[in-house]
Amino acid sequence: MEHRSAAQRPAILVARRIFPSTLQRLRQHFEVEANDADEEWSPPQLIERLQGKAGVLLTGTQRVDAALLAACPQLRIAANMTVGYNNFDLAAMDAAGVVGTNTPDVLTETTADFGMALLLAAARRVTESERFLRAGQWTRWTVDLFAGAEVHATTLGILGMGRIGQAIARRAAHGFGMRVLYHNRRRLDPAIEADCRATWVDKGTLLREADHLMLVLPYTPANHHIIGAAELAQMKPSAVLVNLARGGIVDDAALAQALREGRLAAAGLDVFEGEPNVHPGLLEVPNVVLTPHIASATLRTRQAMADLAADNLIGYLLHGRALTPVNHPPQPRA
Ligand code: DGY
């Protein structure tokens, strides 16, 4: 471990509450201002706390844009504790010479597990039937009590086939005997397709042929409402839709209407437009499983995400090399 005096050590901000062990490790290298109270700072409050800081560890809810970069001239790296980085304005970060990092790989399998959990829970009406039981409404067995949709040996459509999409495909194909179709901007290498037992199709075919559809694509302006009323209308009325990706990818109002009108069997949603607010229409329909953005939330995985974000700060600010950068500014800030 390098020993530097307080005056020599770079100052960083840890903008959300994280694990004590990660904080302790960061304190061995940096002057750390931590948000132990886990307050949700407004953009001006974040800017205020970033004064004099060379790095920040943050989550996907805090934007790093041109205004913040101009107001924080000493900032050199923004380390997200998330794999998604739609909170970064990458063009502005490149122009300002600020590196952004994310936390790929460490959450892949955990998030894929949760995708299957949401699919199974929505298809097999797990939470809906639990509410019924808890409400004391279960008085007798009936032949079609909470009869749901089949999952095994059906066709799973995956929109977005990065690491998490591939991990879901492997579970679905190898574990549940599902036929897997996917759509992605780029077709996967044939060896990866074979490993995932997944077939590339165009988006229209995916929507029409999938018995169930899993969304795992990154949010970009081009992907805003990529699943809206028109796309929902192409899906099978017996289908289950799972959104693990980001709010804004699905038009939640259109989805609520499709669920209410029985044009879609069910949905499993971990992310929402404008979260933590949830479209009121989604709260009113019984055939949707709603979870508060917890797909990567096991303690081991969240610890690994925090550690990787910390390693990015240590690697870049002390050794000039980030582990998992998402951009490469031509002229990094010194
Ligand atoms: C991610 O890592 O992007 C997850 O969605 C958690 O925010």
Side-chain angles (χ1 to χ4, degrees):
M1 194 208 320
E2 282 174 57
H3 291 283
R4 299 175 183 223
S5 70
Q8 290 172 318
R9 285 153 32 122
I12 64 161
L13 178 70
V14 176
R16 295 302 302 265
R17 182 171 64 79
I18 57 165
F19 300 99
S21 59
T22 314
L23 212 46
Q24 198 182 349
R25 200 152 63 83
L26 286 168
R27 286 200 164 108
Q28 291 171 355
H29 301 282
F30 303 116
E31 290 304 301
V32 179
E33 180 179 339
N35 181 3
D36 291 329
D38 215 12
E39 286 168 12
E40 299 221 47
W41 295 325
S42 65
Q45 288 172 324
L46 180 60
I47 286 174
E48 192 186 317
R49 285 170 172 91
L50 278 174
Q51 294 312 302
K53 306 294 193 307
V56 59
L57 189 155
L58 74 178
T59 61
T61 53
Q62 293 157 318
R63 272 197 73 67
V64 178
D65 56 16
L68 180 142
L69 295 165
C72 306
Q74 284 167 294
L75 188 68
R76 296 175 52 210
I77 172 170
N80 256 7
M81 194 190 133
T82 58
V83 68
Y85 50 90
N86 52 301
N87 58 317
F88 290 164
D89 179 337
L90 286 184
M93 291 171 77
D94 279 347
V98 173
V99 169
T101 63
N102 69 340
T103 57
D105 299 319
V106 292
L107 49 56
T108 301
E109 301 300 330
T110 301
T111 305
D113 284 349
F114 199 76
M116 295 310 288
L118 274 184
L119 173 59
L120 289 163
R124 298 302 308 276
R125 306 176 68 180
V126 172
T127 55
E128 192 186 349
S129 61
E130 191 196 359
R131 283 194 297 272
F132 168 88
L133 181 151
R134 284 180 186 274
Q137 292 174 287
W138 185 31
T139 54
R140 64 198 186 104
W141 183 91
T142 54
V143 69
D144 55 356
L145 184 66
F146 289 102
E150 211 67 84
V151 172
H152 74 276
T154 60
T155 297
L156 179 66
I158 303 180
L159 188 56
M161 198 62 160
R163 299 173 185 85
I164 297 170
Q166 292 167 33
I168 290 169
R170 284 194 296 273
R171 280 161 176 73
H174 299 271
F176 287 80
M178 297 174 93
R179 170 183 174 233
V180 178
L181 304 177
Y182 77 96
H183 181 73
N184 202 39
R185 266 175 315 152
R186 269 179 304 131
R187 215 180 140 156
L188 297 179
D189 186 87
I192 300 177
E193 281 189 351
D195 178 44
C196 296
R197 292 197 204 144
T199 306
W200 185 93
V201 291
D202 61 63
K203 188 179 156 203
T205 305
L206 188 82
L207 294 172
R208 284 190 304 277
E209 289 204 9
D211 291 317
H212 307 302
L213 182 65
M214 188 87 69
L215 307 177
V216 269
L217 64 172
Y219 180 84
T220 61
N223 288 344
H224 185 75
H225 286 187
I226 197 166
I227 299 294
E231 289 74 21
L232 292 167
Q234 293 177 64
M235 292 175 63
K236 297 183 184 181
S238 53
V240 172
L241 175 74
V242 173
N243 187 6
L244 275 190
R246 275 288 179 272
I249 284 186
V250 175
D251 178 344
D252 285 350
L255 175 61
Q257 192 174 348
L259 288 166
R260 194 170 53 245
E261 294 174 0
R263 288 186 284 108
L264 197 68
L269 308 174
D270 188 47
V271 288
F272 306 88
E273 284 189 280
E275 62 187 53
N277 298 319
V278 176
H279 191 284
L282 291 172
L283 296 170
E284 283 161 14
V285 284
N287 47 340
V288 56
V289 178
L290 307 165
T291 53
H293 204 146
I294 56 167
S296 65
T298 65
L299 279 178
R300 193 170 71 180
T301 290
R302 286 281 165 88
Q303 178 77 63
M305 292 163 73
D307 285 343
L308 180 51
D311 286 340
N312 272 309
L313 288 165
I314 294 166
Y316 190 67
L317 292 176
L318 301 189
H319 310 293
R321 197 178 65 84
L323 272 68
T324 50
V326 296
N327 67 332
H328 297 277
Q331 287 187 307
R333 277 180 181 170

